[in-house]
């Protein structure tokens, strides 16, 4: 869950893990630790037509989620970090 200074979402002030409610470290609008941001917009052929879901997970909750996958996530090393 993201919290912004104003309704125009100009400045990020907090990110809270939707799973465990941990508040992530945010400084000057930048998240200073690993986290997963999920955004999905459901369309035709789903039970959620026209619905958009957004959530954030801390790194620990992300690791717990992917541990349960029947097919592991694809992982590759990147040389430049954003």
């Amino acid at each position: 869950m993201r919290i912004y200074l104003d309704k125009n979402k100009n400045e990020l002030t907090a990110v809270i893990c939707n799973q465990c409610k941990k508040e992530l470290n945010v400084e000057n609008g930048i998240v200073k630790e690993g986290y997963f941001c999920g955004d999905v917009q459901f369309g035709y052929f789903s039970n959620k037509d026209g619905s958009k879901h957004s959530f954030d997970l801390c790194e620990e909750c992300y690791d717990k989620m992917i541990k349960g996958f029947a097919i592991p996530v694809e992982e590759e090393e990147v040389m430049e970090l954003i």
Side-chain angles (χ1 to χ4, degrees):
M1 178 177 104
R2 296 176 186 201
I3 300 170
Y4 293 91
L5 186 61
D6 60 20
K7 65 180 178 181
N8 294 325
K9 298 183 178 183
N10 290 324
E11 186 177 338
L12 183 66
T13 57
V15 177
I16 301 169
C17 177
N18 284 76
Q19 180 67 36
C20 71
K21 297 182 181 179
K22 173 186 175 184
E23 187 167 346
L24 304 176
N25 184 18
V26 176
E27 293 178 19
N28 298 320
I30 299 170
V31 183
K32 298 284 192 157
E33 59 185 291
Y35 75 107
F36 174 81
C37 171
D39 285 308
V40 62
Q41 184 171 328
F42 292 93
Y44 298 118
F45 312 111
S46 79
N47 292 327
K48 299 170 187 64
D49 289 357
S51 179
K52 180 180 177 184
H53 292 193
S54 300
F55 63 93
D56 296 292
L57 297 177
C58 68
E59 192 169 0
E60 184 177 323
C61 288
Y62 171 80
D63 289 342
K64 288 177 186 176
M65 178 182 71
I66 66 169
K67 187 177 182 180
F69 287 1
I71 300 170
V73 298
E74 291 185 28
E75 189 174 339
E76 62 182 80
E77 188 175 343
V78 293
M79 302 310 280
E80 293 186 31
L81 301 177
I82 298 175

